[in-house]
Amino acid sequence: MTSRERALVLCDGAFATSTGKTANGLVRRSRKYEIVGVIDRTKAGRDAGEVLDGVANGIPLVATLREGVERLRPGALIIGVATFGGYIPQDFRPVIREAIEAGLDVVSGLHEYVSSDAEFTALAATRGVRLVDVRKPRPLRELRQFGDLTRTLPCLRLPVLGTDGSIGKRTTALLLADALEAAGIRTTFVATGQTGLLQGAVFGVPVDAIPGDFVVGELEGEVHRAYEETKPQVIVVEGQGSISHPAYVMGTRAILMACMPQAIILQHAPGRKTRNFRRDVVAWPMPAVGDEIRMLELFSWGRVIAITLNHENMTREQVDAAAAEYEARYGLPTCDPLWHGVDKVVAAVRGHLP
């Protein structure tokens, strides 16, 4: 196994929030980079795992890039926020310049590419460092259109979809993929966003960065490649947005068409009252779980087979009560993957294997 590049994550003021979901994901799991620290001056001096999940993991939160470089000796700086529009935050630019000047590669999952920024590219050329944009799609003439490649694959195609954006779909998908493997069910994960790709997913594309004519074909091609190269019993596909979200609807529709699922996992946050827009200009109510289930089943050939919960703004007792309520109301196994584990979901998946 090749050694992973040591990386510092820039998430100033946003770690352990929905805007910092890229940093959150990398702190929880990274097979491509060795995450050595997170820059967030508002939480500096604490352990990232303790702040995020209440369990220390030895990844420190530091106040500045200079502190991180001197203490932790990284080889790369990863931009760890998911901003509205995918813009590079203006207050991150001096830190990015400082990183390049210090000889660090800069890795970004934003729509605004660091490798297309004149200031950064000129400086990177003088320092001999790489500027990497994982959300940049392939050249236009290399992109694939829909080819009906997945509908007849002899495996269970299982997307983890949700009632909102930034609600934990990727985290649940990865935990479920690991648990299925541990249960002896061959499983492959397909990423659909920048964080999953940064974490080291072998298969996947950034669906929200691909022109509309090609988004289904590109993802369909990755699902098909995942089957051909690994021959799994289950392909778990990361969800994006929500089919009922007024701003982030297209990711879900594309995923449904690209993987042609037989079964679906639905992720919901019972303690969340309004939609996540990554900005505070719209207050749009969260949907009812039953409405989301009906919409997903109407727009696909799959059935929702389990509900998974995000425990934000909730106590353990409230989550336990919500799980029991949803199981009684919808007749579907329900759990919080981080607090309860995913044994109930594994059992549901086992019952739907081809």
Side-chain angles (χ1 to χ4, degrees):
M1 179 179 176
T2 57
S3 61
R4 296 175 297 162
E5 185 174 17
R6 293 170 63 85
L8 191 62
V9 181
L10 176 58
C11 192
D12 204 18
F15 183 67
T17 71
S18 60
T19 299
K21 69 176 188 176
T22 296
N24 302 343
L26 288 167
V27 161
R28 287 187 173 124
R29 178 193 185 104
S30 179
R31 294 179 174 173
K32 187 172 184 177
Y33 298 95
E34 178 186 355
I35 306 303
V36 296
V38 177
I39 302 172
D40 186 339
R41 76 189 73 182
T42 65
K43 301 175 182 70
R46 302 176 65 185
D47 181 278
E50 186 276 328
V51 170
L52 188 61
D53 294 318
V55 180
N57 61 8
I59 298 176
L61 287 153
V62 298
T64 65
L65 178 84
R66 180 175 179 179
E67 178 188 355
V69 169
E70 291 178 351
R71 284 182 52 191
L72 307 168
R73 304 299 180 189
L77 177 74
I78 301 175
I79 300 174
V81 293
T83 59
F84 169 72
Y87 307 134
I88 299 170
Q90 284 299 311
D91 58 342
F92 279 21
R93 292 188 66 88
V95 184
I96 296 170
R97 287 195 298 269
E98 184 183 356
I100 296 171
E101 290 169 348
L104 274 61
D105 295 335
V106 176
V107 184
S108 174
L110 298 174
H111 285 306
E112 191 171 23
Y113 303 138
V114 291
S115 62
S116 298
D117 186 286
E119 179 184 14
F120 295 154
T121 54
L123 187 57
T126 67
R127 295 297 189 272
V129 303
R130 298 179 304 146
L131 302 178
V132 180
D133 290 292
V134 300
R135 216 169 183 173
K136 182 181 287 187
R138 298 187 305 149
L140 183 66
R141 292 190 178 273
E142 296 179 17
L143 297 177
R144 297 163 286 195
Q145 291 185 314
F146 174 73
D148 194 18
L149 300 177
T150 62
R151 180 168 51 92
T152 59
L153 289 178
C155 64
L156 182 67
R157 299 173 302 282
L158 180 69
V160 178
L161 306 177
T163 56
D164 198 10
S166 300
I167 203 167
K169 298 179 288 288
R170 173 184 39 77
T171 297
T172 290
L174 288 167
L175 290 171
L176 178 58
D178 288 345
L180 289 168
E181 277 287 329
I185 300 170
R186 298 189 310 279
T187 303
T188 300
F189 170 73
V190 175
T192 59
Q194 71 274 19
T195 305
L197 296 170
L198 283 166
Q199 287 175 305
V202 176
F203 305 99
V205 290
V207 295
D208 64 354
I210 299 170
D213 284 354
F214 305 101
V215 61
V216 174
E218 280 290 282
L219 180 56
E220 172 196 56
E222 286 299 286
V223 173
H224 184 265
R225 184 170 73 90
Y227 180 76
E228 289 299 314
E229 294 187 14
T230 65
K231 294 296 190 291
Q233 295 167 273
V234 180
I235 295 178
V236 175
V237 182
E238 173 193 8
Q240 293 292 326
S242 159
I243 200 164
S244 65
H245 197 299
Y248 305 136
V249 63
M250 293 309 297
T252 297
R253 288 293 309 278
I255 289 164
L256 290 171
M257 295 302 103
C259 69
M260 299 283 178
Q262 306 99 315
I264 297 166
I265 307 299
L266 180 64
Q267 177 95 0
H268 181 60
R272 186 181 293 188
K273 303 306 179 187
T274 58
R275 303 277 194 165
N276 183 293
F277 285 91
R278 300 197 199 115
R279 54 188 178 136
D280 297 325
V281 299
V282 179
W284 193 280
M286 288 286 288
V289 169
D291 291 342
E292 197 80 13
I293 291 172
R294 283 189 289 273
M295 292 181 73
L296 289 171
E297 294 181 347
L298 175 66
F299 282 95
S300 76
W301 294 266
R303 306 293 294 180
V304 174
I305 64 169
I307 299 169
T308 51
L309 303 180
N310 178 323
H311 58 246
E312 67 177 43
N313 304 317
M314 300 178 75
T315 65
R316 180 61 183 259
E317 292 73 19
Q318 289 172 326
V319 171
D320 293 346
E325 177 191 346
Y326 291 153
E327 287 190 341
R329 182 183 301 179
Y330 302 110
L332 296 170
T334 304
C335 61
D336 180 317
L338 288 172
W339 281 356
H340 299 144
V342 291
D343 289 349
K344 288 181 178 180
V345 186
V346 171
V349 171
R350 196 183 293 278
H352 287 79
L353 291 175

